[in-house]
Amino acid sequence: MAPATTHQKPAAVSEEVEALRRQLVALQRVSSLGVLAGGICHELNNALTPILNYAKLGLRNPDPAFRQRAFEKILEAGQRASAISGGVLGIARPRADRREATDLVRLTKEVTLLVAKDLSRHRVHLDFQAVGQPHARVNPAQIQQVLLNLMINARQAMPEGGTLRVRVGEDASGRIAELSVADTGIGIAPADLRRIFEPFFTTKTGPDASGQGGTGLGLSVCRDIVESHHGRLRAESRIGQGTSFTLRLPVCPTPAKQGAA
C-alpha cells in the first residue's frame, strides 16, 4: 500500500494562493472604507439636508419660479448624494474582474469625493488638477482602491495637516496615463523607501489621531493591482518634505459616444 502524502499538487497550491490574494484585496478594500466611514456618512447627510429643506420650502411656496429653483437645488444635492453612494458601492462591491475603457479623471474625482471630509477634518487641503481626459482599460473599482489607499496614507503622513496634491494626465509620449498622489508630510527614509512595497513592512509605529494604524499590506496590494493592469507604481520621498506616488497605466482610445456619427 502506497504511503499517504501531504504534498499538494502545484495547481491546487496555485488556486489557494489566488484565493488568498483575492481575500487580501477584499480585506484591504473594506479596511480603507472603514477609515472613511464617518466622513462619508457626514457628506451624505450634508447632501440630504438641502434636499429635505428645499422640498419643504417648495411645498409651502406657490411661486412657480421659486419652486423651479427649489427643484434645481434638490436635483443638484441628489446628484451629489448619488455620486457618493455610487463611489462607496463601486469599491465595496466591485463587479467581476472585468476591465473597460475608463475615464481616469472622473474615476479620480469620485475617490476625492469620498476622502474630502476626512481630509478636512485633519486640516489637509486637497489640490486636484487634471490635464486632458486620459482613458485606460482597467477594473475601475480596483484602481479606485489603489487611489483610496494612497490618499489615506498621504493624509496619515501629515499629522499636523498639509496639502494633498492629486494630478491626472499623460506622460510626454501620450501613451501612458499618470495619476500621482503627493503629500507634504514627514517623508520616508531612503532605507525604508526601498522596502515599502514588501508585504507586512510598514513605517507606521502605531495608531494615528483617528485610531488607524498600518498592517503593511496596503502598498503591497496596491502594487500587485497596478502591475496586474500592466502598469507601474513608483514612489519618491524626502524626509521632512513629503512623499509622492505615481501610478502609470497604458492609455486606451476614448470610447466613442453613443449616437455619434
Side-chain angles (χ1 to χ4, degrees):
M1 181 176 178
T5 177
T6 59
H7 293 295
Q8 292 179 296
K9 295 181 179 179
V13 173
S14 178
E15 289 177 3
E16 286 189 9
V17 170
E18 177 59 23
L20 288 171
R21 188 194 71 82
R22 289 196 298 268
Q23 291 177 28
L24 179 59
V25 170
L27 287 171
Q28 195 266 344
R29 180 172 63 245
V30 173
S31 174
S32 295
L33 285 174
V35 174
L36 305 175
I40 292 172
C41 289
H42 186 90
E43 286 295 293
L44 279 173
N45 187 63
N46 284 347
L48 291 173
T49 298
I51 292 176
L52 296 172
N53 289 340
Y54 278 105
K56 292 176 182 177
L57 291 172
L59 287 172
R60 295 171 185 169
N61 196 316
D63 178 19
F66 182 90
R67 287 190 170 188
Q68 177 65 28
R69 290 195 298 272
F71 280 133
E72 291 171 354
K73 293 293 185 181
I74 289 171
L75 177 60
E76 180 182 329
Q79 290 172 333
R80 179 175 177 82
S82 177
I84 295 171
S85 61
V88 173
L89 288 174
I91 295 175
R93 296 190 301 179
R95 292 173 292 178
D97 191 13
R98 187 177 68 184
R99 300 181 182 181
E100 57 195 48
T102 301
D103 181 343
L104 297 179
V105 174
R106 179 177 178 181
L107 180 145
T108 306
K109 284 182 177 178
E110 289 175 353
V111 178
T112 62
L113 189 61
L114 297 182
V115 302
K117 185 60 182 180
D118 183 66
L119 296 178
S120 176
R121 187 167 61 245
H122 291 88
R123 304 179 304 283
V124 174
H125 169 69
L126 174 63
D127 176 8
F128 174 83
Q129 292 183 24
V131 178
Q133 201 167 27
H135 284 64
R137 190 165 298 280
V138 300
N139 179 302
Q142 290 184 354
I143 299 304
Q144 283 184 315
Q145 179 178 348
V146 172
L147 292 173
L148 187 62
N149 187 268
L150 294 177
M151 291 183 195
I152 291 174
N153 282 353
R155 190 272 292 165
Q156 292 177 332
M158 297 181 283
E160 304 302 322
T163 298
L164 173 63
R165 299 188 186 92
V166 179
R167 302 287 185 266
V168 184
E170 297 178 355
D171 71 354
S173 72
R175 295 192 295 268
I176 300 293
E178 294 187 331
L179 298 81
S180 68
V181 177
D183 63 63
T184 57
I186 57 179
I188 303 173
D192 291 338
L193 189 64
R194 290 192 290 270
R195 301 186 58 197
I196 57 173
F197 294 114
E198 294 179 10
F200 302 108
F201 178 79
T202 179
T203 60
K204 299 171 185 175
T205 57
D208 62 10
S210 64
Q212 301 296 327
T215 62
L217 292 173
L219 290 177
S220 174
V221 170
C222 288
R223 182 194 59 184
D224 289 346
I225 289 174
V226 174
E227 291 186 350
S228 74
H229 284 79
H230 308 291
R232 292 289 181 269
L233 181 62
R234 70 165 188 255
E236 298 177 358
S237 186
R238 291 186 179 182
I239 292 294
Q241 296 185 35
T243 302
S244 173
F245 286 89
T246 301
L247 194 167
R248 292 168 54 85
L249 294 166
V251 301
C252 72
T254 302
K257 293 183 179 179
Q258 291 185 350

